[in-house]
Amino acid sequence: MNLMLNDFFLEHREQVYPLFRHYINLGKAFLLQSDLWDEFKLFCENEDGSDICNRPISETIHCSQEAAIEAPWIYLAIRPRVARWTYYRFNVEAMQHEEIPVTAYLAFKEQLIEGHKNINKRMLEVDLGPFNREFPKLHESRSIGNGVQFLNRRLSSEIFQNISKGDKQLLNFLRVHHVEGKQLMLNDQVDSVTELRRALRQADDYLRRQDHAAEWDAVGHMLQTLGIEPGWGRTVERMRDTLLLLSDILEAPEPGHLEKFLSRIPMIYKLAIISPHGFFGQANVLGLPDTGGQVVYILDQVRALEKEMKHRISEQGLDIQPQILVVTRLIPEAGHTTCNQRLENIAGTENARILRVPFRTESGEVVPHWISRFKIWPYLEQFAVDAGREIFAELGSRPDLIIGNYSDGNLVATMLAQHLKVTQCNIAHALEKTKYLYSDLYWKDNEEKYHFSCQFTADLIAMNSADFIITSTYQEIAGNDHSVGQYESYSSFTMPDLYRVVNGIDIFDPKFNIVSPGADADVYFPYSDSERRLTGLHNEIEKIIYGKDWPDSYGFLENPDKPILFTIARLDRIKNITGLVEWYGRNEKLREKVNLLVIAGHIDIEKTSDVEEEEQIKHMYELIENYGLQGQMRWLGIQLDKSMLGELYRYIADKRGAFAQPALFEAFGLTVIESMSSGLPTFATCFGGPLEIIENGKSGFHIDPNHGEQATDLILEFFNRSEKEPGYWERISNGSLERVRSRYTWTLYAERMMTLSRIYGFWKYVTDLERDETRRYLEMFYSLQYRQLADTVPK
C-alpha cells in the first residue's frame, strides 16, 4: 500500500492537496476517522474533488484513524489492516510528503497540545519492543487472541527436541507438584528421559491387565516402584490414557496432545482473584459507585471455576477441596452492604470466600470510607503487601494462580505474583483509555478528576507483566477493520510533558487469549422453559413495570398491551442511557408502537455521590419533560436481584419485546448475554464486544450510538416486521439462544481458563517465558514513574 500511495501522491499532487487544504481550513487540530471520512465525502461532492474519489486516496482516508493538523502540515495515522500502522506527513504549501516513524508523529501531537515552548525538550520514551525481539510472536491478525495454540505449536517441537538430548526440564516440572505434603506425578526414581520412557511403558503394561475401574489404592503401590505417583487419574482407564498421552508427546510432539496432557496436571488448587475497587459483595451493592458488571462477572466466574477445579482434581484421583479467595477492599463505612466484613462465604460454592483487606494511610490507620476507583492509586502498594499476608494466612500457602481484574486489580496482581513467584493472569474488563476521547493527549485536563496518568501507567506495567491475558472478545484486543482495539490503543500513545509510548504492548504477543464469559444458566434461561419459570414473581413484576405508586420510579406506561423496549445499565455517559431515551423521544412512530422501560441509576439526585451520574439524572428529567414521555416511558432507580431480573427478561419476551444496549462503547456486554440467554431479541452497540457477540440480523442487531435516528428506525422496523411476518420475532429469539449456547457459557469459560493456567504455567517453567529483562525494566518504570504519579493523588 505504501508504494501505491507514494506513486499516487507523486502523480496526482494537483488533485490530492486541495483535499488536505480542505482539512486544514476546518481549523481543528485533530480529526477523527469519522471526521476525515465525512469531510472527504463532502469534498467529493464538489467538482474539484470528483477526480480523486475513486482512487487510492479514498482507501487511505477510509483507513486513516486520525489526522493531526497545523498549517501547513497535516499528519496522518493510517491503519491499513488490523494492528498494522503507518504514519505520513504532508506539507500542503510545498506539496511534499514523506513516511515518518511513530516517534515523529507523537512528537507532532505533543507540539499541538503543548505549543512550541517544549519543542526541543527530551521526552521520556517507553519502548518495550527491544526486550521481546527474540520472543516468539504471532504474524497474522486473524491469529490474535489464540496465543496458547501458537505457543503449543511453536514451542512443543523445540522443547521436546531438547528433551531427546537429555534435557530434564520436563522431568523437573512433573516432579515439582506436591499437595498437602504428598508427592504427585513422578518421584526421584525417574531421573532421565530414558527412565521416563521406560516407566511409562512398564506402567502401561501393568495397568492394562488391571480392572479399568480400579483406583489408586488398588494399583498405586506397584506404580510407585516404577516412579509413578498419584495425579495421573482416578481410575486405571484414566491413568492409562494420561500416561499414553505423555508417551505419544515424547515420541512425536503434537500441540493437541500436549494441551490435553497439560490440562490434566494437578497444579491448580488455590486461586486468588484480585478486585480492589468499588463495593464488592453479594447483596445491596449493584448500582453503588464503581460497582456493576465486574462484581457479577467475578461471582459467576468463581462458581464456575470451583466446579471445574473440583471436577479436574477428582478426575485425576485426588481428594482435595480447592480454595478460592476474592481479595477486595474492606470498607468500614459500608452502609447496607457486607463490605465491612473481613470474610464472607460466596453463595453457591463450598470453599470460596471474599477476603476484604482495608486501605491504610501512611500512618497505618484504616481508611473508613469508599474511594473512587480513579483515586485509589496511592493505597495499592500497601494494599498489596497487606493482601499478600492475608492471602497466605487464609490459604496456608501461596496461591497457585493469581487473577487480576481491572487496572487496579491487575497492578496489585502484578505485585503479588512477582513477590510470591506465581503465575499471573490479567482481565481488564474495560480499559478507560478508549472510553474517553483523547484521554491521553489531554491527560492534564482530566488529572484532577480521573488521574489517567496513574491508570495508564499501571495498565502498561500490568499488561506487560502478566503471564497471560484473558479478553472476552477479539474486539477488546485488536478492534476490527475500522476501529482500534482497547489493548491496541496502548501500542503507541503520548501524554505530553510526561512520557511518550512508542511500543507499549504488542498484541501479536501470544499472552493474549479470548475466553468469553457467560450468564448464570440457573438464572438466565429461555422464556420458553416453562417448567423453570418463576411465575410467582409476575404479580410483582407487573407492579414494577406498571404500578404508579411503586417506589423509586418515575413515569408510567399508559398502554400495557404494547411490547416493551427494555434497557438496564449504570447511569453514566458511556452507557448512553439518556441517548436511547432521546432517540426514542424523537421517533414518534416508535413511541406509538412500543413502551420504553429503563432501569438505571437513581431517580433521586440526592442519593448519588457520583458527579457524572448527577449530570445524567438531570438530563434524563429534561428529556422526559421536553419530549412529553409520560405514559410511554417508565424509569426505575431500583436494584433487582438476579432471579427477579432473569424473570423480567422472560416476562418482556412473553410480550414480544426487545432489549437495547446503546453504549458509546462496551468492553463486553453481560446484559447482552443475559437478554440473549433469555430469548429476548437484542439491539446492542457496534462498538466493542457486542459487535462480536451478535451476528447482525441473525442473533440480534448492531446499532451505532452515534446515529440514533438510524438505530430507532432499525428497532421500529423490527417491531413492524414482527407484527406482520409470522415467526420473525421467534427466529431472532432462537438465533440469540443458539449463539449463546455455542459460545458464551460459564462452563466453557471455566474449562478454558483452567487449561490456560496449566499451559502457561508449564511454558513459564520449562522455557524463558519469565521475561526477566522486561520485568526489571517495568520495576524501574514503576519506581521512577508510577510511584511519583500515585503520590500526587490527594488522599
Side-chain angles (χ1 to χ4, degrees), residues 403-619:
I403 302 174
N405 292 272
Y406 193 68
S407 300
D408 46 51
N410 287 329
L411 184 65
V412 174
T414 297
M415 291 185 271
L416 286 169
Q418 291 178 357
H419 175 67
L420 298 173
K421 308 299 182 186
V422 176
T423 301
Q424 174 191 351
C425 168
N426 283 2
I427 305 174
H429 295 281
L431 292 164
E432 300 287 346
K433 186 171 172 295
T434 51
K435 283 186 179 182
Y436 298 85
L437 185 61
Y438 294 129
S439 54
D440 50 357
L441 277 178
Y442 295 99
W443 69 274
K444 289 182 181 179
D445 298 339
N446 294 311
E447 195 69 355
E448 182 178 354
K449 182 176 181 180
Y450 294 118
H451 300 283
F452 285 141
S453 64
C454 287
Q455 185 157 15
F456 300 166
T457 305
D459 287 335
L460 281 173
I461 293 169
M463 65 179 59
N464 281 285
S465 298
D467 295 299
F468 67 105
I469 295 173
I470 293 300
T471 71
S472 298
T473 63
Y474 181 95
Q475 311 285 324
E476 190 177 339
I477 311 171
N480 56 41
D481 288 342
H482 306 298
S483 64
V484 179
Q486 291 186 65
Y487 280 98
E488 186 184 1
S489 74
Y490 281 79
S491 60
S492 62
F493 66 95
T494 183
M495 290 191 283
D497 206 30
L498 185 61
Y499 61 80
R500 174 190 304 153
V501 179
V502 297
N503 195 330
I505 187 69
D506 187 348
I507 62 173
F508 290 92
D509 193 305
K511 69 171 58 182
F512 288 101
N513 291 273
I514 300 167
V515 185
S516 302
D520 188 337
D522 293 329
V523 175
Y524 304 104
F525 53 85
Y527 74 96
S528 56
D529 192 347
S530 56
E531 293 184 2
R532 300 169 66 193
R533 291 289 299 268
L534 306 176
T535 53
L537 297 176
H538 284 198
N539 186 48
E540 185 176 353
I541 286 174
E542 289 172 356
K543 291 179 180 178
I544 289 172
I545 298 175
Y546 301 110
K548 293 185 178 181
D549 298 326
W550 192 264
D552 291 318
S553 66
Y554 186 78
F556 63 94
L557 301 180
E558 193 170 54
N559 185 352
D561 294 327
K562 292 198 295 188
I564 294 173
L565 179 64
F566 174 48
T567 190
I568 181 171
R570 294 192 313 273
L571 194 57
D572 61 25
R573 185 186 68 83
I574 293 297
K575 294 299 184 182
N576 197 35
I577 298 300
T578 53
L580 175 64
V581 172
E582 185 165 11
W583 306 343
Y584 177 79
R586 290 177 176 176
N587 195 315
E588 290 288 346
K589 292 182 179 179
L590 184 62
R591 290 168 59 178
E592 292 173 7
K593 180 70 64 174
V594 301
N595 290 319
L596 178 62
L597 175 65
V598 174
I599 300 180
H602 296 281
I603 65 168
D604 184 352
I605 201 168
E606 299 297 325
K607 292 184 178 181
T608 183
S609 57
D610 187 290
V611 175
E612 193 169 299
E613 186 178 19
E614 287 181 11
E615 296 171 353
Q616 292 294 304
I617 291 172
K618 291 176 184 177
H619 190 37

Side-chain angles (χ1 to χ4, degrees), residues 32-240:
L32 296 173
Q33 179 191 40
S34 57
D35 300 324
L36 289 166
W37 185 245
D38 289 345
E39 290 296 332
F40 176 72
K41 289 189 293 184
L42 287 174
F43 183 80
C44 286
E45 291 175 2
N46 300 323
E47 241 178 81
D48 291 341
S50 60
D51 190 45
I52 67 169
C53 292
N54 296 319
R55 296 182 182 273
I57 189 61
S58 173
E59 180 185 348
T60 302
I61 297 301
H62 195 62
C63 61
S64 293
Q65 294 296 313
E66 179 187 60
I69 303 171
E70 184 180 58
W73 294 100
I74 179 168
Y75 284 54
L76 286 182
I78 304 170
R79 183 174 175 265
R81 298 188 306 280
V82 168
R84 308 292 188 185
W85 292 80
T86 186
Y87 303 90
Y88 274 86
R89 69 174 181 178
F90 304 84
N91 187 308
V92 175
E93 291 180 358
M95 297 178 66
Q96 294 177 345
H97 70 276
E98 64 176 328
E99 187 175 356
I100 58 173
V102 63
T103 302
Y105 180 75
L106 296 176
F108 184 71
K109 292 174 70 175
E110 293 156 11
Q111 180 180 317
L112 294 180
I113 300 298
E114 293 288 293
H116 293 267
K117 60 181 180 179
N118 293 329
I119 192 168
N120 294 318
K121 181 179 178 180
R122 289 185 64 85
M123 281 276 287
L124 169 65
E125 284 196 354
V126 178
D127 185 357
L128 290 155
F131 297 104
N132 299 315
R133 282 184 184 142
E134 305 303 320
F135 200 82
K137 296 287 180 63
L138 305 164
H139 294 287
E140 301 298 330
S141 298
R142 66 177 182 274
S143 300
I144 292 171
N146 293 311
V148 76
Q149 290 95 325
F150 170 80
L151 274 184
N152 285 341
R153 289 194 304 268
R154 178 71 177 267
L155 298 181
S156 58
S157 58
E158 295 178 13
I159 187 68
F160 287 101
Q161 184 178 12
N162 290 333
I163 283 176
S164 67
K165 298 176 182 178
D167 195 305
K168 291 189 177 181
Q169 286 288 73
L170 176 62
L171 298 178
N172 293 336
F173 177 75
L174 292 176
R175 279 201 294 256
V176 79
H177 303 297
H178 299 78
V179 61
E180 297 178 355
K182 181 187 296 185
Q183 176 67 47
L184 300 180
M185 305 303 289
L186 295 180
N187 59 41
D188 291 339
Q189 290 182 233
V190 179
D191 60 1
S192 69
V193 174
T194 300
E195 285 294 313
L196 176 60
R197 293 178 186 273
R198 177 196 57 77
L200 294 175
R201 285 193 297 268
Q202 291 181 348
D204 184 58
D205 288 341
Y206 169 69
L207 289 175
R208 67 184 175 184
R209 297 192 298 270
Q210 310 305 310
D211 181 356
H212 285 185
E215 298 187 4
W216 180 263
D217 288 345
V219 299
H221 177 72
M222 180 61 185
L223 292 177
Q224 285 177 315
T225 65
L226 301 174
I228 306 295
E229 294 289 343
W232 296 85
R234 177 164 294 278
T235 66
V236 164
E237 183 177 23
R238 177 79 170 190
M239 293 177 207
R240 283 196 69 206

Side-chain angles (χ1 to χ4, degrees), residues 251 348 365:
E251 185 71 19
E365 296 178 356

Side-chain angles (χ1 to χ4, degrees), residues 179-349:
V179 61
E180 297 178 355
K182 181 187 296 185
Q183 176 67 47
L184 300 180
M185 305 303 289
L186 295 180
N187 59 41
D188 291 339
Q189 290 182 233
V190 179
D191 60 1
S192 69
V193 174
T194 300
E195 285 294 313
L196 176 60
R197 293 178 186 273
R198 177 196 57 77
L200 294 175
R201 285 193 297 268
Q202 291 181 348
D204 184 58
D205 288 341
Y206 169 69
L207 289 175
R208 67 184 175 184
R209 297 192 298 270
Q210 310 305 310
D211 181 356
H212 285 185
E215 298 187 4
W216 180 263
D217 288 345
V219 299
H221 177 72
M222 180 61 185
L223 292 177
Q224 285 177 315
T225 65
L226 301 174
I228 306 295
E229 294 289 343
W232 296 85
R234 177 164 294 278
T235 66
V236 164
E237 183 177 23
R238 177 79 170 190
M239 293 177 207
R240 283 196 69 206
D241 190 50
T242 307
L243 289 163
L244 290 173
L245 270 175
L246 180 54
S247 181
D248 288 343
I249 291 167
L250 292 172
E251 185 71 19
E254 196 274 321
H257 287 167
L258 178 63
E259 179 170 321
K260 187 176 180 181
F261 172 71
L262 293 176
S263 71
R264 295 185 180 188
I265 293 180
M267 54 189 289
I268 307 293
Y269 312 100
K270 299 177 181 181
L271 280 183
I273 299 174
I274 316 298
S275 181
H277 76 255
F279 291 81
F280 198 103
Q282 300 178 83
N284 304 321
V285 297
L286 295 182
L288 293 177
D290 293 340
T291 309
Q294 183 172 316
V295 173
V296 176
Y297 179 111
I298 292 174
L299 291 174
D300 285 345
Q301 174 198 50
V302 166
R303 297 182 184 101
L305 288 177
E306 185 191 64
K307 184 177 180 181
E308 180 66 17
M309 290 167 71
K310 289 174 63 178
H311 171 72
R312 293 198 184 203
I313 291 170
S314 175
E315 283 282 283
Q316 294 313 110
L318 303 174
D319 297 314
I320 300 166
Q321 281 294 324
Q323 296 188 69
I324 301 177
L325 291 179
V326 177
V327 184
T328 187
R329 184 195 161 199
L330 185 142
I331 306 174
E333 297 174 1
H336 299 294
T337 76
T338 58
C339 295
N340 57 354
Q341 296 179 13
R342 177 180 176 273
L343 275 178
E344 181 181 352
N345 293 328
I346 296 177
T349 70

